[in-house]
Amino acid sequence: MFAGFELDMIQLPEATLRVRYGGSGPPILLLHGHPRTHTTWHRVAPLLARRFTVVCPDLRGFGQSSKPIDADNDEASSKRAKARDCVALMKHFGFERFHLAGHDRGSSTAFRTAMDHPSSVSKLAVLDSVPILEALERCDANFASRWWHWFFFAQPHKPEQAILADPDAWYGGSAEAMGAENYRDFRAAIHDPETIKGMLGDYRAGIRVDPLHDREDRAAGRKLRCPVHVLWSRRDDMEELYGDVVSVWQPWTARPVTGVGIDCGHHMAEEAPEALAEELERFFTSKAVM
């Protein structure tokens, strides 16, 4: 897994992140979603590393990265805080400017990084997501019945109790589908109470803090300045919930948004790595510039 990559614990001003990195060329930062760790990229990162320097961290609160000291401080779990980690991490490697792709919850951190640090992000790819404020403002019975976990995970104490009673039954997954080493890393994460609390902090911030940041941006007329490419899983529910997924993103950007669906389920990096890597490589090597 990740042949030719290095693995390290990197201390940043606000967090210590477990990071896998390798390859050479223009830098790409890949951000995983919930409940995964950086190892979800194990089939995609080596393909991209043929042309890029690829950096894959466990997000703050996830995997083996550090957890917010005050776990009840939503700001410490906010996408804004994690965006600062992203910029600091890439500066650690000597990159002032980089391409960025995020999946699921990681896409929300990617969005916030590009919004708060426009001079740092060259291009942004968002996978299986819409802006958090858009999701909440469009919430109806269909969304609530499918994405009920957003609201349950934001509650105090009870989500930890429910998940930790049987993490394997709660999250599922298999070595056959995910790859043996990725599955072992995933299981270690979901069986760790501190990691469960750290991951839930991402959802608590997603209800209480992150939408406020989105709303402030919209009120101030701030938009993403870099090229944005949207990818979604055709066998997931993005099209059913939002119809034209690209159009949901367009008001948040100052440029035309591009996008395409990929024929797979939600965890596209594990289910369709070649198609995903090809799409990311095409976007990140295209002539569109900031």
Side-chain angles (χ1 to χ4, degrees):
M1 186 171 68
F2 288 100
F5 279 62
E6 300 290 334
L7 180 64
D8 202 357
M9 298 294 294
I10 297 178
Q11 186 171 348
L12 303 174
E14 298 181 44
T16 299
L17 303 187
R18 181 176 65 150
V19 183
R20 191 96 54 165
Y21 55 96
S24 62
I28 297 179
L29 179 62
L30 300 179
L31 305 181
H32 63 85
H34 171 268
R36 298 306 204 249
T37 72
H38 80 273
T39 64
T40 193
W41 298 107
H42 73 105
R43 292 169 176 156
V44 172
L47 299 176
L48 293 175
R50 296 176 299 193
R51 298 189 65 174
F52 301 94
T53 300
V54 182
V55 180
C56 307
D58 288 351
L59 290 166
R60 179 196 302 203
F62 288 73
Q64 295 180 30
S65 288
S66 62
K67 313 306 185 280
I69 295 174
D70 181 358
D72 296 321
N73 179 356
D74 295 327
E75 289 285 353
S77 290
S78 70
K79 311 306 173 293
R80 174 157 286 165
K82 293 173 184 178
R84 293 194 296 268
D85 292 345
C86 291
V87 173
L89 175 63
M90 296 307 276
K91 285 183 178 179
H92 169 87
F93 287 111
F95 301 122
E96 295 289 333
R97 190 169 165 82
F98 52 91
H99 300 315
L100 180 54
H103 177 254
D104 184 76
R105 304 301 292 186
S107 72
S108 297
T109 291
F111 163 75
R112 180 48 52 196
T113 304
M115 187 68 83
D116 286 1
H117 307 274
S119 64
S120 297
V121 179
S122 300
K123 295 181 183 180
L124 172 65
V126 285
L127 287 53
D128 274 335
S129 78
V130 298
I132 287 177
L133 183 60
E134 290 283 353
L136 294 176
E137 289 184 339
R138 294 165 182 259
C139 180
D140 56 13
N142 187 30
F143 179 90
S145 66
R146 291 172 177 269
W147 289 33
W148 56 271
H149 60 281
W150 273 34
F151 309 103
F152 177 61
F153 287 170
Q155 304 309 308
H157 310 306
K158 291 187 184 298
E160 287 92 333
Q161 296 171 11
I163 293 169
L164 290 168
D166 192 342
D168 296 310
W170 188 273
Y171 283 120
S174 70
E176 292 74 21
M178 298 173 63
E181 293 180 74
N182 179 34
Y183 181 62
R184 282 197 296 271
D185 201 76
F186 158 76
R187 286 196 74 242
I190 65 173
H191 281 263
D192 176 36
E194 290 304 309
T195 299
I196 293 298
K197 190 164 188 176
M199 293 194 295
L200 293 173
D202 192 90
Y203 285 87
R204 288 164 180 152
I207 294 294
R208 301 169 188 162
V209 177
D210 298 327
L212 301 180
H213 298 155
D214 289 358
R215 192 170 285 114
E216 290 167 359
D217 288 332
R218 188 166 63 188
R222 286 189 291 269
K223 296 189 176 188
L224 296 170
R225 289 163 42 191
C226 63
V228 177
H229 193 52
V230 183
L231 302 174
W232 62 91
S233 306
R234 287 181 178 153
R235 288 186 240 148
D236 202 5
D237 57 9
M238 294 295 291
E239 291 179 346
E240 183 176 343
L241 288 171
Y242 301 111
D244 183 357
V245 183
V246 170
S247 69
V248 180
W249 278 96
Q250 190 59 68
W252 295 89
T253 76
R255 313 165 62 102
V257 180
T258 57
V260 66
I262 293 179
D263 185 21
C264 63
H266 180 64
H267 295 288
M268 59 172 67
E270 297 166 3
E271 298 180 35
E274 292 85 3
L276 176 56
E278 181 180 350
E279 194 61 36
L280 291 176
E281 181 175 319
R282 184 200 62 75
F283 172 59
F284 289 136
T285 57
S286 68
K287 294 185 180 297
V289 294
M290 180 172 164

